[in-house]
């Protein structure tokens, strides 16, 4: 019998990944599925990135790189990524990783001891909690209140205990698409400073902003806050290269050194051709991010009236990111569909099996309500998905 380690008990595959893979598997079997569960842009690789990748591959860039990432790439990231410019990082304060996921995991390995507590504003992307638990830490969930899901320092303050070590924040947030208001963020940062807590700030969606919103909600935080701040970023969503696995973390040099030591044993370095390609892409005048943002905003606006018409959905208008989170109450849905064994997972399964529409259930974000719709597929498919949803509810 295989005996899994105690550390892994209770850890299951990421629910967001599961939802995406279920949809793909059905499609591979020939089922006509509208995949609104994807956490990545479903679009061809941009021609600029494809050209840079061809160039990089011709350069024979197939060897290990520096563990923390190619220096030129680190220089470009600290110089070009808006979030990091606001805090003026040096290349020694940055590590390039196999996606933001790896950066988050390395931060937790570097900082958390057994039984340390990590505060997570909820709804949250379940990987945050799974990673914290994997390194032996405990999760303290702070439930934000619908419909605004507003972050407040009072809610965070109530969750702080002598064991608290870290607060994880994600803005724009997955799944709600909320950008945390600057005054609340400032208060949380002050609170963290007072209690000597680390803030891990996941900015994976910070480039994907709607309505000309300002991403840099951390600008204006006290200078000292930088000493206990880890900013995590990703090229997966902004540049549509999720499968290449490229992300980064910026933090004080001592933490970056610790994360680099872990990376040297865990994976050596981030994908080499992706690093070389991004040097080329970030050196040019790339318009990729602007195009992506404009397209996502257009899709949000195109489906918004339809989302609002479906009374069961209760959509939350996103400030940015890749998703629209809908506050679906499973009881209402199950009553309409005569489903007896009711849960938000049952709702997602019903939609998949009977309407051919894949969405991510709120359980992937520690919620018993809610469905996340991804804006990552073209508008006609999004509209078709909503038509199927309506039709199913009207049958
Ligand atoms: N952080 C958040 C909040 C996410 O939602 C995701 C992906 O869904 C990631 C990080 C993962 O990003 P990456 O592909 O760079 O690992």
């Amino acid at each position: 019998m295989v005996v899994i380690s105690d550390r892994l008990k209770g850890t299951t595959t990421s629910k967001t990944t599961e939802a995406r893979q279920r949809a793909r598997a059905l499609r591979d079997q020939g089922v006509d599925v509208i995949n609104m569960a994807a956490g990545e842009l479903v679009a061809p690789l941009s021609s600029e990135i494809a050209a840079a990748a061809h160039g990089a591959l011709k350069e024979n860039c197939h060897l290990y790189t520096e563990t923390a990432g190619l220096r030129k790439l680190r220089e470009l990231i600290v110089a070009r990524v808006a979030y990091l410019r606001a805090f003026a990082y040096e290349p020694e304060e940055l590590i390039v990783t196999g996606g933001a996921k790896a950066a988050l995991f390395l931060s937790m390995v570097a900082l958390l001891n057994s039984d340390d507590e990590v505060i997570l504003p909820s709804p949250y992307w379940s990987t945050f909690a799974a990673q914290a638990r994997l390194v032996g830490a405990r999760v303290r969930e702070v439930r934000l209140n619908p419909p605004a899901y507003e972050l407040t320092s009072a809610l965070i303050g109530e969750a702080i205990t002598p064991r608290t070590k870290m607060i994880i924040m994600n803005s724009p947030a997955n799944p709600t698409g909320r950008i945390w208001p600057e005054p609340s963020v400032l208060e949380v940062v002050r609170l963290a400073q007072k209690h000597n807590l680390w803030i891990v700030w996941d900015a994976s969606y910070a480039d994907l902003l709607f309505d000309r919103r300002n991403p840099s909600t951390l600008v204006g935080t006290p200078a000292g806050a930088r000493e206990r701040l880890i900013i995590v970023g990703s090229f997966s969503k902004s540049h549509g290269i999720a499968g290449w696995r490229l992300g980064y973390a910026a933090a004080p040099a001592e933490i970056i050194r610790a994360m680099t030591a872990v990376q040297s044993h865990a994976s050596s370095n981030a994908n080499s051709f992706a690093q070389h390609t991004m040097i080329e892409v970030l050196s040019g005048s790339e318009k990729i991010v602007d195009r992506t943002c404009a397209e996502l905003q257009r899709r949000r606006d195109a489906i918004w009236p339809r989302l609002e018409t479906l009374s069961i959905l209760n959509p939350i208008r996103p400030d940015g990111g890749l998703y629209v989170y809908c506050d679906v109450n499973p009881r209402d849905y199950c009553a309409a569909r005569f489903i007896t064994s009711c849960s938000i997972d049952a709702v997602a399964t019903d939609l998949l099996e009977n309407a051919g529409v894949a969405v991510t259930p709120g359980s992937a974000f520690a919620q018993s309500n809610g469905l996340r719709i991804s804006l990552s597929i073209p508008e006609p498919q999004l509209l078709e998905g909503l038509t199927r949803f309506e039709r199913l509810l009207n049958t």
Side-chain angles (χ1 to χ4, degrees):
M1 192 178 75
V2 180
V3 183
I4 302 293
S5 73
D6 292 345
R7 196 177 302 108
L8 266 178
K9 282 195 182 123
T11 303
T12 51
T13 310
S14 147
K15 276 222 167 204
T16 43
T17 307
E18 232 172 56
R20 182 176 73 225
Q21 287 181 351
R22 254 179 102 191
R24 273 196 196 161
L26 278 175
R27 199 177 265 173
D28 290 347
Q29 290 165 25
V31 182
D32 171 24
V33 175
I34 303 282
N35 187 2
M36 293 167 136
E40 60 188 334
L41 281 168
V42 183
L45 183 62
S46 91
S47 53
E48 293 101 312
I49 298 183
H54 283 136
L57 285 170
K58 277 199 212 124
E59 294 295 316
N60 275 336
C61 60
H62 55 288
L63 303 177
Y64 289 129
T65 70
E66 289 95 309
T67 307
L70 294 167
R71 186 170 177 95
K72 179 76 190 157
L73 178 59
R74 284 183 282 137
E75 284 171 3
L76 282 163
I77 293 175
V78 295
R80 299 246 357 222
V81 173
Y83 236 82
L84 304 183
R85 275 208 315 275
F87 289 89
Y89 283 98
E90 297 294 328
E92 290 68 29
E93 296 174 303
L94 190 118
I95 180 171
V96 181
T97 57
K101 232 176 209 180
L104 288 162
F105 197 52
L106 293 177
S107 342
M108 299 207 204
V109 175
L111 281 173
L112 296 175
N113 290 313
S114 292
D115 298 330
D116 280 347
E117 287 179 0
V118 176
I119 292 181
L120 277 179
S122 164
Y124 57 79
W125 180 52
S126 59
T127 290
F128 293 138
Q131 291 191 346
R133 292 190 180 113
L134 274 172
V135 300
R138 296 182 198 177
V139 169
R140 276 209 158 233
E141 196 175 315
V142 170
R143 294 194 82 81
L144 306 179
N145 296 319
Y149 292 104
E150 206 68 76
L151 179 80
T152 69
S153 61
L155 284 171
I156 300 282
E158 282 164 21
I160 294 176
T161 76
R163 297 221 66 97
T164 309
K165 180 84 168 270
M166 180 186 281
I167 305 172
I168 303 182
M169 296 206 277
N170 169 217
S171 178
N174 177 7
T176 59
R178 295 303 312 269
I179 293 177
W180 308 127
E182 282 176 22
S184 318
V185 171
L186 269 179
E187 280 178 29
V188 173
V189 170
R190 285 199 194 103
L191 204 58
Q193 278 192 301
K194 186 171 148 207
H195 294 273
N196 273 334
L197 308 180
W198 282 87
I199 290 185
V200 171
W201 184 269
D202 184 336
S204 291
Y205 298 94
D207 283 323
L208 305 179
L209 304 165
F210 307 149
D211 314 317
R212 298 180 182 276
R213 291 289 306 255
N214 178 2
S216 300
T217 44
L218 275 163
V219 170
T221 52
R226 192 184 177 285
E227 297 311 309
R228 281 182 176 259
L229 172 68
I230 300 184
I231 295 180
V232 170
S234 170
F235 294 111
S236 293
K237 328 281 175 179
S238 55
H239 290 71
I241 51 167
W244 285 7
R245 313 307 302 127
L246 206 64
Y248 52 86
E254 197 184 341
I255 296 299
I256 293 298
R257 277 197 295 277
M259 291 167 69
T260 306
V262 181
Q263 178 149 282
S264 77
H265 296 296
S267 61
S268 292
N269 55 257
N271 178 322
S272 133
F273 90 78
Q275 290 191 57
H276 282 278
T277 302
M278 281 315 285
I279 287 179
E280 187 63 27
V281 171
L282 292 179
S283 301
S285 67
E286 35 134 9
K287 297 266 186 308
I288 302 161
V289 178
D290 294 346
R291 279 201 310 264
T292 304
C293 250
E295 175 59 20
L296 289 172
Q297 180 173 330
R298 218 177 47 72
R299 289 180 192 171
R300 178 201 64 177
D301 293 343
I303 64 167
W304 193 256
R306 297 278 298 279
L307 293 174
E308 283 197 312
T309 323
L310 270 159
S311 64
I312 226 159
L313 280 181
N314 302 315
I316 296 156
R317 194 172 173 84
D319 303 318
L322 206 52
Y323 317 104
V324 180
Y325 191 64
C326 297
D327 232 333
V328 176
N329 182 335
R331 277 197 307 273
D332 297 340
Y333 182 98
C334 294
R337 290 276 302 142
F338 304 105
I339 296 172
T340 42
S341 179
C342 187
S343 67
I344 200 63
D345 285 350
V347 174
T349 303
D350 185 53
L351 278 166
L352 183 61
E353 291 179 353
N354 296 310
V357 174
V359 291
T360 310
S363 53
F365 313 101
Q367 306 297 299
S368 52
N369 276 17
L371 295 176
R372 188 192 75 178
I373 290 175
S374 171
L375 296 170
S376 61
I377 53 176
E379 185 186 319
Q381 286 185 45
L382 286 170
L383 293 171
E384 167 63 13
L386 293 177
T387 302
R388 291 183 184 194
F389 196 115
E390 280 161 359
R391 213 182 290 139
L392 186 70
L393 282 172
N394 291 330
T395 49

